[in-house]
Every structure is written in C-alpha cells, then in structure tokens.
Amino acid sequence: MSGEAIVAEDLWKSYYKGTFLNRRLAVQALKGLSFRVMKGEVYGLLGPNGAGKTTTVKIISTLMEPDKGAASVAGYDVVREYKEARRHIGVMLSVERGFFWKLTGRENLKYFGMLYGLSGGELEERITWALETVGLLELGGDEKYFEDMSLGMKARLGLARVLIKDPEVMILDEPTLGLDPHSARHIRRLLREEAGKGKTVLVTTHNMFEAEILCDRIGIIRGGRIIAEGTPGELKSLVSDSTPITVVLRAEDARAVEELYGRLVGDGVKGEYERVEPGKWKLTILAPRGSEDDVLADLYSTSRSMGLRVLEARVREPSLEDVFIALTGEEGS
C-alpha cells in the first residue's frame, strides 16, 4: 500500500495567555511544522513537553484550526473538508478523557459506536471484537464501570473506542503514558498489528524506547517545528559517524595485545586499549559506521592467528535517547 495518509504543510499556531500592560501575550506553539505519513506506516512525533506535539495532533484530528498552513488526512483538508476527514480518523487524546464514568466499558463503547453510525448486531459484534482485541474481556472490563478501571484498563478502552470505528488513520496522543509495562506492551503490539493490516498510525510519545521499537519513522519536534526526521537507524546515524566496539581479551603478553591493536586501527578505525587485570585486556575500537562487521571479522581472525582469546566483543549502537539529547538538549521530560 502506498500514498500519503497524513500531510502537514507549514503549520503555524499561536495561543494567547493573559495580558501584560494591556497587551495580549502570545505563545507560538507551532512554527512552520511540516511532515508526511505514508499509508500503513507508524509515524512517531517525539519531543519534550511544550514542543507542539499535542497541538499538532489536534490540528490533524480536525479539533483545532491552524493559523497558517494546511493539513490533510486521507486526502481531505482538515479545515475545509473536516467532516469527510473525520470519517477516516480514530482519535485517542487521553486515556481518561471523553468517557462516561458511571457507564461500563461496553456501555461506553455502545454509545460511541452509535455516534459512529453503527447499530444492531453489527455494533454488538464490533464492541465484543474490540474488547477482546484490547484484552478487556478477559479482565472483566466490559462490565466494570469506567470510574473503577485502572489506568491501564482505561487506556485499553480508549484504543477499543478507536478500533470499533475501523478507521484508516489512527491518531494517538501518548497512548501508553503512565501505564504499567504489560499494558504498554500490549498496546504497542496492537498498534503494530493494525499497521500490518494497512492502517496508518500517528503517535506522540516521550518514551524513546517505545518510539524506537514501535515506529517506522520518527519526527523529532522542538520549538514548534520538526528538527530531524527518519527511521530510528537514520536518526542514530546523526549522532556519530563511528560505532564503539568493546573487546575483552585473554593475553599474558602485552606486546601481543599491542601488535593486535596496531593491526586493527588505521584506515579510519581509532581506539585505545588497557589492562583491566593480570592477563586480561580491554580494547575499545571506534569503527566507521557501516564497517562494524568487517572490523569484527578482522578482530576475530587476527586474534586467532596470534593465539589470543577473545572473551567478549560488544557493539554499542547509539540509542534514540542519544539522538534526542544531542538534538534537543533535553535530558528527558
């Protein structure tokens, strides 16, 4: 499946918060933000608090109009053709927002399903299917009142509300925020399964581990604009042009280690070595990105030919957190 499911082009949005000396104070939430999401793709907006993620999601979801710029979902302009766009969108902005606290999970879904135009047996079938898909049936969430649900159950019900509509595009604002690891993993797995069916998923998150394992592509947003975009691997390549390889050797002869080190470094490969205990040495090799397999192969063959024993060899890939901190200056949020 190909084609663009979501398009955001040069979005600008200001909020006004109070007055000072009789002048309205403006906060610029978006400053020319642009990105595109392809059909069947999981796209993540990753950024610190106040970066503009939620504002972006609200505009894409037709819940807010931009001051400037344009956005479309499934080919429909979210301002001029908002009614048509909404038919193709399933939205989850908060795990607790929008539900009726005195209704059960099934009753809540029945209400929203009717709003989506479902009725009769079709509605009941979709409710049961959605509850089962998100794992709420086995937890008793169909008969439990919303006010008595745990945060994880509420998040699952929020995703079920999206699923009963069977939308082409799913827009989720931090769907795993505050959830226990089991619930968060369950929701991530469901989102990947939906993408595998051809659905498009736009998700915002603070969780860099989640973004790395869930998203096909990621846009890092700061100060109201996308400052970097690409696959997790492409973003990691922005941090450094080299990959650290840590090697632990068993060797009694320091001259043999020095000779091995001398054979490995050069042609763009840098490093250092040190003795960590008698007969045990640690080498740190900085291999140019893309050459890791060749350096490791050379390491093992050379060590073997010299009678040296490799106890351990680890390749440390830069993490998405490294990218985030390098690009935003944020130590987390």
Side-chain angles (χ1 to χ4, degrees):
M1 184 175 293
S2 61
E4 295 170 341
I6 300 174
V7 177
E9 198 71 51
D10 194 30
L11 295 179
W12 292 75
K13 184 65 181 179
S14 295
Y15 295 103
Y16 292 95
K17 293 188 176 180
T19 59
F20 179 71
L21 298 178
N22 296 322
R23 298 180 62 183
R24 297 178 74 190
L25 300 177
V27 175
Q28 195 77 53
L30 299 182
K31 303 175 183 178
L33 180 141
S34 299
F35 66 95
R36 296 169 185 265
V37 184
M38 308 305 290
K39 293 179 182 179
E41 183 176 42
V42 180
Y43 186 96
L45 283 176
L46 177 64
N49 279 326
K53 302 188 302 297
T54 299
T55 299
T56 302
V57 163
K58 287 182 176 179
I59 291 174
I60 298 297
S61 304
T62 78
L63 301 176
M64 180 184 293
E65 293 188 10
D67 298 332
K68 291 195 315 181
S72 65
V73 176
Y76 296 101
D77 187 280
V78 298
V79 176
R80 292 183 288 102
E81 302 170 297
Y82 68 92
K83 290 183 179 180
E84 291 83 355
R86 286 177 181 175
R87 294 191 182 100
H88 299 269
I89 299 173
V91 182
M92 179 179 170
L93 294 182
S94 169
V95 298
E96 295 187 288
R97 190 176 299 170
F99 286 103
F100 295 95
W101 289 63
K102 296 295 184 180
L103 296 182
T104 65
R106 182 175 290 275
E107 290 168 341
N108 266 288
L109 292 184
K110 187 171 184 178
Y111 170 80
F112 287 107
M114 293 172 66
L115 290 182
Y116 298 151
L118 300 171
S119 62
E122 181 187 11
L123 174 58
E124 293 299 331
E125 287 178 7
R126 291 206 64 80
I127 289 174
T128 299
W129 168 79
L131 287 168
E132 187 175 16
T133 299
V134 301
L136 275 180
L137 272 187
E138 60 186 276
L139 298 175
D142 57 328
E143 300 302 328
K144 187 182 290 287
Y145 289 113
F146 186 78
E147 64 181 354
D148 296 327
M149 291 183 178
S150 66
L151 189 61
M153 293 179 72
K154 290 174 181 176
R156 293 180 188 225
L157 188 64
L159 187 54
R161 181 173 64 181
V162 173
L163 292 176
I164 61 172
K165 189 179 181 182
D166 194 25
E168 293 177 32
V169 178
M170 303 170 66
I171 301 174
L172 313 171
D173 190 16
E174 302 196 47
T176 63
L177 181 64
L179 301 188
D180 63 90
H182 179 74
S183 295
R185 177 182 293 179
H186 187 81
I187 286 179
R188 288 194 296 265
R189 184 172 64 249
L190 284 176
L191 295 181
R192 285 303 327 174
E193 289 174 356
E194 289 301 301
K197 299 173 185 176
K199 303 294 181 64
T200 302
V201 181
L202 173 64
V203 59
T204 73
T205 182
H206 287 94
N207 188 326
M208 279 152 283
F209 167 76
E210 177 171 271
E212 185 166 354
I213 65 173
L214 174 63
C215 300
D216 298 305
R217 286 191 306 127
I218 297 166
I220 297 181
I221 181 172
R222 184 186 186 191
R225 58 170 60 94
I226 300 289
I227 60 173
E229 185 182 48
T231 66
E234 289 169 344
L235 290 174
K236 290 177 188 179
S237 70
L238 299 176
V239 175
S240 174
D241 58 1
S242 60
T243 301
I245 299 175
T246 302
V247 182
V248 178
L249 292 168
R250 176 70 67 188
E252 300 297 334
D253 190 347
R255 289 176 298 179
V257 175
E258 184 176 353
E259 182 181 348
L260 171 65
Y261 174 77
R263 292 190 187 185
L264 293 177
V265 299
D267 294 328
V269 179
K270 301 178 182 179
E272 60 183 8
Y273 65 96
E274 61 177 328
R275 190 176 73 164
V276 292
E277 61 183 63
K280 197 172 183 178
W281 298 77
K282 183 175 78 172
L283 282 68
T284 301
I285 308 296
L286 295 178
R289 186 162 296 281
S291 69
E292 296 89 350
D293 290 343
D294 292 337
V295 172
L296 282 171
D298 191 22
L299 163 71
Y300 280 107
S301 62
T302 305
S303 300
R304 200 161 41 242
S305 67
M306 297 178 63
L308 301 176
R309 182 184 173 194
V310 177
L311 302 177
E312 180 182 347
R314 291 188 297 113
V315 178
R316 182 193 177 277
E317 288 286 339
S319 67
L320 208 53
E321 183 176 31
D322 295 330
V323 179
F324 183 82
I325 293 174
L327 295 179
T328 69
E330 297 284 341
E331 292 289 343
S333 55

